[in-house]
Amino acid sequence: MIGYELLRERFQLDGYVHFDLRAFVPSIADVVERVASIGEDRWSFIVKNRDGEHDLCSSDKVEASRQHAIADRDRELGRFAFSFRWMPDSRENADVEALQAMKQLMASRPVLELLGKVTGRVPLTVSQFYLSWFEHGHFLGTHCDPGQSFGVALSLTKEWDPNHGGLTVVLPDGEKEPAACLVPALFTLLVFDTGARRIPHFVSAVTAPARRRRITAVARYRA
């Protein structure tokens, strides 16, 4: 197992680091199974295009498809855009047990202590949390996450084929050549600096067969 010192060294050098969270927090496996059982109707469509940002309920598939098409054209033109499904930690989702269990795990003492050792900071609280669901055609354009202290993305995806896209590509600030291209392997935790560094990254368009999901838990921390 990779030690804390090496993970911290990589984080400080590159502004990001990724590793298998299950090696440090074995209980993550139980929560992943519960997330997979969340009903489709609880996931909304979140789309960003030239007309703004649109959060559409699961039943509004026609409008979501229309907004996605605009976002996809924006992507082809080099404009910032995204299109995927998500489940934010909102009042409406307070009763989704699996969502709340995952948030509690990411704010638990074992995880906070681990992140403190990896980043060299003292995480105080989870400032934002949501689950994302990428399927065929979904993507997230190049961006830097809002500055607070650091953020994480935990892959909850089983047996993802890298030929189907959905890869997290990290770009050094101001450069076009990728520094890393990360496959969303199950339990892989990506930790990236959002305070002291700019870490541009994007999620490549998904080409997986219908109903194949790339699910991730995203959390941002104040420290």
Side-chain angles (χ1 to χ4, degrees), residues 81-99:
F82 56 74
S83 180
F84 54 95
R85 299 186 75 167
W86 78 329
M87 184 182 303
D89 177 35
S90 62
R91 182 179 302 174
E92 293 77 13
N93 292 324
D95 64 333
V96 182
E97 189 275 337
L99 171 71

Side-chain angles (χ1 to χ4, degrees), residues 58-114:
S58 61
S59 61
D60 206 352
K61 294 183 179 180
V62 173
E63 179 62 12
S65 180
R66 188 180 76 85
Q67 295 296 344
H68 168 81
I70 298 172
D72 206 30
R73 288 197 295 272
D74 287 345
R75 177 180 65 87
E76 293 173 352
L77 292 171
R79 299 169 176 165
F80 174 62
F82 56 74
S83 180
F84 54 95
R85 299 186 75 167
W86 78 329
M87 184 182 303
D89 177 35
S90 62
R91 182 179 302 174
E92 293 77 13
N93 292 324
D95 64 333
V96 182
E97 189 275 337
L99 171 71
Q100 299 304 323
M102 180 59 72
K103 179 188 176 184
Q104 290 171 11
L105 179 66
M106 299 309 291
S108 66
R109 177 171 294 182
V111 172
L112 292 180
E113 290 180 349
L114 170 64

